[in-house]
Amino acid sequence: KSGTKATLYTLEEYNSPMSEETSLEEIELGQAVVTNRIFDNKAWVIIKDKKLIDNIQIGDFVKVTFKKSLTRKFDNISDTTKGLIY
């Protein structure tokens, strides 16, 4: 939906000194807003932070922030309660 908030991320390799395992960590870069240019599986976003724009690299990605409506929150509470009773 146009106007929806989104967060930009990059992946950073992390080497654990304890386990000696390597993993990828999602690092938050900044915020964006979805434009009205929305397609089936992609959309354009607006980034207002000039410094962020200058630091975006190929492979960085965006996650859209979805908020649950008040009724959906009550649905989850209701479902949880039913699970506990039965």
Side-chain angles (χ1 to χ4, degrees), residues 72-86:
R72 292 291 290 158
K73 288 180 183 178
F74 283 128
D75 286 347
N76 289 342
I77 291 169
S78 176
D79 289 345
T80 302
T81 305
K82 287 178 188 172
L84 292 172
I85 293 171
Y86 294 117

Side-chain angles (χ1 to χ4, degrees), residues 41-62:
N41 61 349
K42 56 189 163 205
W44 287 81
V45 296
I46 295 174
I47 303 167
K48 295 181 180 178
D49 183 345
K50 174 77 168 119
K51 187 176 177 182
L52 175 58
I53 292 169
D54 292 340
N55 290 313
I56 293 174
Q57 299 179 1
I58 292 174
D60 293 346
F61 58 97
V62 175

Side-chain angles (χ1 to χ4, degrees), residues 7-58:
T7 305
L8 284 84
Y9 294 90
T10 192
L11 291 175
E12 193 171 283
E13 195 172 273
Y14 173 74
N15 296 310
S16 172
M18 299 293 278
S19 67
E20 298 182 6
E21 292 181 3
T22 301
S23 62
L24 291 176
E25 303 274 331
E26 288 183 4
I27 307 298
E28 184 175 325
L29 298 174
Q31 301 298 311
V33 177
V34 177
T35 69
N36 62 353
R37 306 248 331 162
I38 300 171
F39 306 95
D40 287 341
N41 61 349
K42 56 189 163 205
W44 287 81
V45 296
I46 295 174
I47 303 167
K48 295 181 180 178
D49 183 345
K50 174 77 168 119
K51 187 176 177 182
L52 175 58
I53 292 169
D54 292 340
N55 290 313
I56 293 174
Q57 299 179 1
I58 292 174

